[in-house]
Amino acid sequence: MRDGATQKCILYSIADVCSSHTTLNSAGRNVTFPYQASCDNTLTSVWYRLTGDSGSYLPESCPQPQNDVCGTYYPGWLNGIHPTAAEGVVTRTVCFSSSTTCCCYSIPIEVKNCGDFYVYKLMPVPICYSRYCVTNVGEYVS
């Protein structure tokens, strides 16, 4: 640095996604909800917390492929496990099942464990009628 000038660093903080997110709470997202031609093609790619009648997390197993559940034909589920709080933000895969297979197609998402809940950076689905399914811990086992 010249002439005794000091360098100033300005740190910009990014809002913690655990306190800055959008809520999805529609009962139609729950794995028990029947088909109603729902599609997540209009979602924006932001962080979401799943709450209320929908449930609180993405299921970690394939919804029954012979059933149209979550209000859609292609229900989305987390193909893997949810992260621990220590892992921070992780990338996981969401599979979308069909009437014949558990992973007709997949897309990457980001997930963060916020202690008492998870947040997900979801993106719009490329195929209708696809939708992210939701359940409660221990509530759904395929």
Side-chain angles (χ1 to χ4, degrees), residues 9-73:
C9 292
I10 300 173
L11 298 177
Y12 296 96
S13 68
I14 298 173
D16 180 29
V17 297
C18 292
S19 59
S20 178
H21 51 263
T22 300
T23 300
L24 292 177
N25 59 10
S26 166
R29 292 187 176 282
N30 192 278
V31 294
T32 62
F33 203 82
Y35 180 75
Q36 290 194 343
S38 298
C39 185
D40 277 339
N41 63 332
T42 59
L43 282 182
T44 55
S45 187
V46 298
W47 288 92
Y48 294 94
R49 178 179 177 183
L50 310 171
T51 65
D53 292 336
S54 69
S56 58
Y57 83 120
L58 296 178
E60 294 177 346
S61 59
C62 175
Q64 297 296 326
Q66 69 272 18
N67 298 327
D68 296 329
V69 295
C70 311
T72 193
Y73 183 70

Side-chain angles (χ1 to χ4, degrees), residues 87-100:
E87 289 178 281
V89 175
V90 299
T91 300
R92 294 287 191 260
T93 299
V94 170
C95 278
F96 292 87
S97 62
S98 71
S99 60
T100 59

